[in-house]
């Protein structure tokens, strides 16, 4: 066909003219807009393609057996398998579910299904086997329940629905009396504690028609209200009584607990939960720092971390903004919603992604938890909320920096990074959701979807409905 004078390989006067005009347009376009114009001219989908390169690398690390498929956190240590959503197999399953929705490639769905099969086969036999953090959203069976139901929604297989039900049964059985309510461990937070588990309970009452879930969420909320600590005219929460540091932001602190309580109010209309959530925001308002003319951010921890600021989901504006969005919905007061863009400005004012401040979530980290991927997700969500193109433009800048920091490995891409700021020389390429390639791939697919009119397939239980 290439040698056929009339075939598709022939360069006609029209095609030459079109190419010339396209090249002229590209040259005359300011440099910062050229990537977008080039995408439009070539019909390229760079973030979609980059996500598939991440998938290629993840795929090579898969371990298959009679129970299904699992992925080691570090492919160089294939025997070290985890089943938590934060770093283990559940997060990889979610990435494959998003990839199935984005590509229609049946192999992606079957890979996700095989991962879910392995999670079902390795569920603990009873609640006593869960361990201290084994009930949590990002640390245990609550996250597994969510992943199994999402898999069922894609596959329609009864085994996945039944597995989600088994996981929820374990979660209900693991609850113990605490004050006037219940808890699953000593933690209050989103990652392992009652706030994150409570969000899963609220999700499960709808997604799984779990009749006991709302009651357990309400009891968990009652206990969280009573352990709130009065401070600066509002309330704050500690991660756990045994943890001396107090974290004000989303993953381990006040913003996350308050977000759950605001969400619980929307389900129950019990004023005590809304009052406590507003009190949490009141405390955050009192300790927040103004950046630039209108930006906002909140320090990492106290005591001793009042001059330390992160930027992403865990301890930064990208996570804490969720509370203010949810309070806007719960109260109908636009004052709360008007604060959400200020957190975005707090990130932009930091100078990322071109500048990597030492005391921010941009040490050598590109993850959903602490770095580029989480910031990218936030700005994609801001675009869904406002429809303003500047948010997608910033998300692209962050994603482009993230791609530049990747490492080619065969036909795939991995990200070698430091998970912890205090251990910058301990670097590893992980497969999972919150610190690895699955999370990067998920962010890239969400960005590609926002640019091409595809809604995200995966929205985690701690993520609000932004409108995208």
């Amino acid at each position: 066909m290439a040698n056929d004078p009339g075939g598709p390989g022939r360069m006609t006067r029209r095609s030459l003219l079109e190419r010339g005009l396209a090249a002229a347009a590209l040259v005359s376009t300011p440099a910062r807009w050229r990537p977008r114009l080039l995408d439009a001219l070539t019909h390229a989908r760079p973030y979609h393609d980059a996500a598939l390169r991440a998938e290629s690398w993840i795929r090579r690390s898969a371990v298959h057996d009679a129970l299904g498929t699992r992925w080691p956190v570090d492919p160089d240590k294939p025997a070290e398998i985890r089943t938590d959503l934060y770093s283990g197999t559940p997060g990889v399953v979610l990435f494959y579910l998003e990839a199935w929705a984005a590509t229609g490639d049946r192999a992606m769905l079957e890979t996700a299904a095989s991962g879910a099969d392995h999670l079902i086969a390795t569920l603990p036999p009873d609640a006593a086997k869960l361990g201290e953090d084994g009930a949590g959203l990002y640390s245990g069976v609550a996250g597994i329940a969510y992943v199994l139901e999402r898999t069922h929604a894609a596959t329609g297989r009864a085994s996945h629905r039944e597995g989600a039900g088994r996981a929820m049964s374990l979660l209900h059985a693991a609850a113990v009396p605490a004050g006037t309510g219940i808890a699953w461990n000593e933690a209050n937070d989103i990652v392992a504690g009652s706030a994150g588990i409570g969000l899963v309970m609220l999700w499960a009452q709808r997604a799984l028609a779990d009749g006991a879930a709302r009651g357990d969420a309400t009891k968990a909320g009652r206990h969280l209200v009573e352990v709130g600590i009065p401070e600066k005219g509002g309330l704050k929460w500690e991660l756990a009584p045994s943890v001396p540091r107090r974290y004000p932001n989303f993953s381990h602190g006040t913003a996350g607990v308050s977000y759950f309580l605001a969400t619980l109010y929307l389900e129950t209309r019990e004023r005590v939960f809304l009052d406590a959530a507003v009190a949490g925001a009141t405390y955050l308002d009192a300790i927040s720092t103004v950046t630039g003319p209108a930006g906002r951010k909140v320090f990492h921890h106290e005591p001793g971390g009042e001059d330390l600021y992160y930027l992403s989901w865990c301890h930064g504006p990208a996570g804490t903004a969720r509370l203010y969005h949810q309070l806007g919905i719960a109260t109908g007061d636009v004052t709360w919603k008007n604060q959400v863009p200020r957190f975005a400005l707090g990130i932009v004012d930091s100078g990322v992604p071109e500048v990597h401040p030492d005391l921010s979530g941009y040490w050598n980290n590109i993850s959903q938890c602490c770095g580029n991927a989480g910031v990218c997700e936030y700005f994609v969500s801001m675009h869904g909320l406002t429809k303003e193109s500047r948010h997608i433009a910033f998300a692209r800048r962050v994603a482009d920096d993230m791609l530049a920091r990747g490492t080619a490995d065969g036909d795939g891409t991995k990200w070698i990074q430091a998970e912890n700021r205090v251990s910058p020389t301990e670097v590893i390429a992980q497969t999972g959701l919150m610190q690895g390639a699955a999370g990067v791939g998920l962010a890239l697919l969400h960005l590609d979807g926002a640019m091409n009119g595809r809604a995200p397939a995966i929205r985690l239980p701690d993520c609000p409905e932004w409108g995208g």
Side-chain angles (χ1 to χ4, degrees), residues 385-439:
L385 180 65
T386 67
K387 310 307 178 188
E388 295 178 9
S389 60
R390 63 190 174 101
H391 295 308
I392 283 293
F394 191 79
R396 292 196 65 176
R397 280 172 54 193
V398 171
D400 290 344
D401 177 75
M402 183 164 62
L403 296 182
R405 295 163 73 183
T407 299
D409 187 341
D411 64 348
T413 303
K414 62 184 178 182
W415 283 265
I416 304 170
Q417 63 164 2
E419 179 172 342
N420 298 303
R421 176 185 56 84
V422 295
S423 306
T425 61
E426 295 180 13
V427 295
I428 182 177
Q430 297 188 35
T431 60
L433 179 66
M434 299 306 286
Q435 292 288 350

Side-chain angles (χ1 to χ4, degrees), residues 204-445:
Q205 71 164 333
R206 298 184 300 274
L208 292 169
D210 186 325
R214 177 170 166 168
D216 276 0
T218 302
K219 293 173 186 176
R222 295 196 193 289
H223 179 59
L224 286 171
V225 169
E226 69 184 359
V227 298
I229 301 167
E231 181 81 10
K232 296 187 180 297
L235 288 174
K236 66 181 180 182
W237 282 266
E238 56 194 357
L239 166 56
S242 63
V243 178
R245 286 182 175 179
R246 288 174 179 161
Y247 302 94
N249 288 287
F250 191 77
S251 66
H252 289 311
T254 296
V257 173
S258 298
Y259 175 84
F260 163 61
L261 293 173
T263 307
L264 184 59
Y265 167 75
L266 287 168
E267 294 289 341
T268 65
R269 295 297 168 176
E270 292 190 28
R271 183 76 193 195
V272 63
F273 300 131
L274 180 60
D275 289 345
V278 169
T282 300
Y283 164 70
L284 293 170
D285 288 345
I287 65 169
S288 67
T289 296
V290 175
T291 69
R296 285 190 65 182
K297 59 184 180 180
V298 178
F299 62 75
H300 183 268
H301 70 269
E302 61 174 356
E306 293 86 354
D307 295 323
L308 175 65
Y309 296 91
Y310 283 15
L311 300 178
S312 196
W313 170 87
C314 58
H315 298 291
T320 296
R322 297 179 175 193
L323 166 62
Y324 288 79
H325 176 73
Q326 201 76 329
L327 283 175
I329 295 172
T331 64
D333 186 344
V334 297
T335 304
W336 295 112
K337 285 190 174 182
N338 289 342
Q339 295 297 317
V340 176
R342 294 188 62 194
F343 286 102
L345 287 174
I347 295 173
V348 174
D349 290 341
S350 73
V352 299
E354 291 78 14
V355 176
H356 295 177
D358 290 338
L359 298 181
S360 80
Y362 266 72
W363 67 93
N364 182 23
N365 187 282
I366 49 75
S367 72
Q368 286 270 356
C369 181
C370 315
N372 293 55
V375 171
C376 180
E377 292 270 23
Y378 174 46
F379 278 85
V380 168
S381 297
M382 286 298 298
H383 175 261
L385 180 65
T386 67
K387 310 307 178 188
E388 295 178 9
S389 60
R390 63 190 174 101
H391 295 308
I392 283 293
F394 191 79
R396 292 196 65 176
R397 280 172 54 193
V398 171
D400 290 344
D401 177 75
M402 183 164 62
L403 296 182
R405 295 163 73 183
T407 299
D409 187 341
D411 64 348
T413 303
K414 62 184 178 182
W415 283 265
I416 304 170
Q417 63 164 2
E419 179 172 342
N420 298 303
R421 176 185 56 84
V422 295
S423 306
T425 61
E426 295 180 13
V427 295
I428 182 177
Q430 297 188 35
T431 60
L433 179 66
M434 299 306 286
Q435 292 288 350
V440 173
L442 190 67
L444 292 170
L445 290 175

Side-chain angles (χ1 to χ4, degrees), residues 69-279:
T69 302
R70 62 195 188 277
W71 290 267
V73 177
D74 177 359
D76 291 335
K77 300 176 181 178
E80 296 184 10
I81 304 294
R82 292 174 59 170
T83 58
D84 59 276
L85 180 58
Y86 191 91
S87 297
T89 292
V92 180
V93 171
L94 290 184
F95 167 59
Y96 274 99
L97 291 174
E98 189 74 43
W100 152 248
T103 66
D105 183 348
R106 187 79 187 182
M108 302 291 187
L109 180 61
E110 291 304 325
T111 300
S114 185
D117 291 343
H118 200 280
L119 291 172
I120 293 169
T122 55
L123 279 172
D126 56 64
K129 302 293 185 181
L130 291 179
E132 177 63 25
D133 295 331
L137 169 53
Y138 285 92
S139 65
V141 74
I144 293 173
Y146 167 76
V147 171
L148 294 178
E149 189 281 331
R150 289 288 78 206
T151 307
H152 169 262
T155 66
R157 296 175 192 172
S159 61
H160 297 142
R161 179 83 172 197
E162 291 164 1
R166 278 182 53 204
M168 287 304 301
S169 294
L170 289 169
L171 202 56
H172 288 303
V176 297
T180 59
I182 61 172
W184 288 265
N185 50 45
E186 70 165 3
N188 299 317
D189 69 335
I190 290 288
V191 171
S194 292
I197 298 168
L199 288 170
V200 171
M201 289 291 177
L202 294 178
W203 160 83
Q205 71 164 333
R206 298 184 300 274
L208 292 169
D210 186 325
R214 177 170 166 168
D216 276 0
T218 302
K219 293 173 186 176
R222 295 196 193 289
H223 179 59
L224 286 171
V225 169
E226 69 184 359
V227 298
I229 301 167
E231 181 81 10
K232 296 187 180 297
L235 288 174
K236 66 181 180 182
W237 282 266
E238 56 194 357
L239 166 56
S242 63
V243 178
R245 286 182 175 179
R246 288 174 179 161
Y247 302 94
N249 288 287
F250 191 77
S251 66
H252 289 311
T254 296
V257 173
S258 298
Y259 175 84
F260 163 61
L261 293 173
T263 307
L264 184 59
Y265 167 75
L266 287 168
E267 294 289 341
T268 65
R269 295 297 168 176
E270 292 190 28
R271 183 76 193 195
V272 63
F273 300 131
L274 180 60
D275 289 345
V278 169

